[in-house]
Amino acid sequence: MKALTEQEIRRSFVNCTKGEAKRLSVPHDLAERPWDDLDFLGWRDPQAPDRAYLVTELDGRPTALALRSTGASSWQTRRSMCSMCMTTHTGGVSLMVAAKQGKAGQQGNTVGAYICSDLACSLYLRGKKDLGTGAQLHETLTLEEKIQRTTANLAAFIARVTS
């Protein structure tokens, strides 16, 4: 993924108003992010732990989503699988919900997916972040095929938000 500026990120949100995008918390360490290892940039809002955001490149331009996540509960101590990168976690996968784009979102319609709670799917795929034994299922796919699957899963999620 190519490095993005704060302004590019704010302009790329598809499921919130321009005012909401202007007020949301963007990471201050964008220059230090491992852009070459990212298929998407994801982060949690430090002021509002139930809010998360992700931005990726679709059709050559950045596309971002504002997400809400579930609160901590006892069921999260079970092993769960991220629907984007297929990494399994014990307590590290959250239901992330995105308001649909446009009028449907204004009426309260949402789309959800189970995603790594720290939104570090790209780093798990590449082995840059480790969860220990059993976090990645044994697969015969190459790293490139796993990356393609993750980006396809993310694109499908975004398509459901924007349809």
Side-chain angles (χ1 to χ4, degrees):
M1 180 171 184
K2 80 172 189 75
L4 298 172
T5 66
E6 181 177 338
Q7 269 42 43
E8 289 173 314
I9 291 170
R10 290 188 189 282
R11 284 193 305 261
S12 65
F13 279 90
V14 297
N15 69 333
C16 64
T17 66
K18 288 181 183 179
E20 290 168 330
K22 186 177 180 179
R23 290 185 301 272
L24 62 82
S25 177
V26 175
H28 298 291
D29 63 346
L30 292 175
E32 289 84 46
R33 295 290 172 133
W35 293 101
D36 291 338
D37 292 324
L38 297 179
D39 306 306
F40 67 90
L41 172 65
W43 71 97
R44 302 297 288 245
D45 188 328
Q47 284 97 27
D50 65 329
R51 292 183 188 195
Y53 309 98
L54 66 83
V55 60
T56 190
E57 290 181 36
L58 287 180
D59 300 323
R61 62 185 189 356
T63 303
L65 295 179
L67 306 164
R68 295 277 180 156
S69 67
T70 57
S73 64
S74 61
W75 68 266
Q76 288 181 322
T77 58
R78 287 193 260 159
R79 193 169 250 340
S80 302
M81 180 181 285
C82 173
S83 63
M84 297 298 150
C85 66
M86 304 303 168
T87 299
T88 59
H89 300 264
T90 301
V93 174
S94 298
L95 175 62
M96 301 273 185
V97 178
K100 289 194 61 108
Q101 183 179 39
K103 191 171 184 171
Q106 293 168 355
Q107 294 173 343
N109 295 323
T110 59
V111 176
Y114 288 95
I115 305 175
C116 294
S117 297
D118 61 2
L119 297 151
C121 298
S122 302
L123 301 179
Y124 292 124
L125 284 178
R126 290 165 175 80
K128 305 279 181 170
K129 197 165 185 178
D130 187 26
L131 286 172
T133 308
Q136 289 285 23
L137 299 175
H138 176 69
E139 296 182 287
T140 58
L141 298 176
T142 65
L143 175 60
E144 187 59 39
E145 290 169 328
K146 290 177 186 179
I147 291 168
Q148 288 172 355
R149 176 181 61 196
T150 299
T151 56
N153 290 342
L154 181 57
F157 180 62
I158 293 171
R160 290 184 8 235
V161 171
T162 58
S163 65

